[in-house]
Amino acid sequence: MTIKSDHRALYLQVIDRMKQDIAAGVYKEKEKLPSEFELSKTLGVSRATLREALRLLEEDNIIVRRHGVGTFVNSKPLFSSGIEQLTSVSDMIRQAGMEPGAIYLSTSEGLSSEEDIKRFHCTGDDTIITIERVRTANSDPVVYCIDKVPSAYLPTDFLKRTESSIFKAIEESGDIHISYAVTFIDPTGYHEDASPILECEPETALLVLKQLHYDEDDRLVLYSKNYFRADKFSFHVVRKRM
């Protein structure tokens, strides 16, 4: 069935039609799409129009093109969350009906780097605890996390603990309460450290969330850098008209 002309540009109609076919199961997740020649013939559009539609579908992470192999339908994200509230990864996983877990890769303590000194407004004599871990959903790796906290903000026995929520540990003394976070989101392709840890295929995109967590006195107490599999997670934000 070919695209029927309306007032919109043809490539926009192709995008809508492709999304409808994917939603209806005509093209299934992880399934290879027909060739450009076959698709353009089926839809009744030029290959140039089709390519523009496929380019935009790829930007939206709906399809993925593998050089020399073909174009495939991406899996729908399993986890979706707004970023207006500080929702934990574990809560997102539970809301999707899956069991959250964590694999601790390393926990270390070292003197502040120049970057740490600028970030936390500490001195070169202060120490920083760095925690590397992988968050899992039903035992599958989905997020690679790197967290940095000044040692002074954590219990003295933190390094000896086998498992501990970083938020809870920071707030354990009652002197610190994490009030808000400033988040930066950057899309990225293959990452030499994160992608293998998350068992990603080379074409799988990642979403990098850099979060600076502040207490009620606007003091930075936790810096997090999290690599999310873009085929598993999506994030949105509600914007209100002022």
Side-chain angles (χ1 to χ4, degrees), residues 67-239:
H67 183 68
V69 180
T71 302
F72 295 78
V73 178
N74 257 337
S75 301
K76 292 179 182 177
L78 294 173
F79 317 105
S80 181
S81 175
I83 58 172
E84 303 89 351
Q85 297 181 338
L86 281 174
T87 302
S88 71
V89 174
S90 294
D91 286 341
M92 290 177 65
I93 293 171
R94 288 193 188 96
Q95 288 167 11
M98 303 178 79
E99 183 64 29
I103 301 169
Y104 282 79
L105 302 179
S106 69
T107 303
S108 60
E109 184 174 23
L111 289 173
S112 304
S113 65
E114 287 187 15
E115 193 174 75
D116 294 327
I117 293 169
K118 291 177 182 177
R119 182 180 289 141
F120 292 107
H121 301 292
C122 56
T123 70
D125 294 328
D126 292 321
T127 57
I128 303 293
I129 289 179
T130 303
I131 305 104
E132 286 188 67
R133 55 186 172 158
V134 178
R135 309 305 298 271
T136 61
N138 287 356
S139 300
D140 292 328
V142 291
V143 190
Y144 170 50
C145 308
I146 303 171
D147 298 291
K148 304 192 80 171
V149 191
S151 303
Y153 300 155
L154 289 168
T156 54
D157 66 342
F158 182 82
L159 290 175
K160 297 178 183 178
R161 300 182 183 185
T162 54
E163 284 189 37
S164 178
S165 163
I166 298 173
F167 268 34
K168 288 181 180 178
I170 291 173
E171 296 180 335
E172 191 173 291
S173 67
D175 296 329
I176 300 173
H177 174 71
I178 296 175
S179 179
Y180 65 96
V182 177
T183 304
F184 301 88
I185 303 179
D186 298 310
T188 187
Y190 183 87
H191 187 277
E192 61 181 5
D193 294 324
S195 295
I197 287 173
L198 296 175
E199 300 176 6
C200 295
E201 296 175 350
E203 299 82 9
T204 303
L206 300 174
L207 292 172
V208 185
L209 267 69
K210 300 174 185 176
Q211 296 197 93
L212 296 95
H213 299 81
Y214 294 86
D215 69 1
E216 293 171 323
D217 296 321
D218 299 321
R219 175 177 51 177
L220 179 65
V221 296
L222 167 64
Y223 171 74
S224 300
K225 189 174 185 179
N226 299 330
Y227 295 83
F228 291 80
R229 288 188 56 149
D231 60 340
K232 303 292 185 183
F233 286 85
S234 67
F235 297 95
H236 58 269
V237 62
V238 175
R239 301 177 66 195

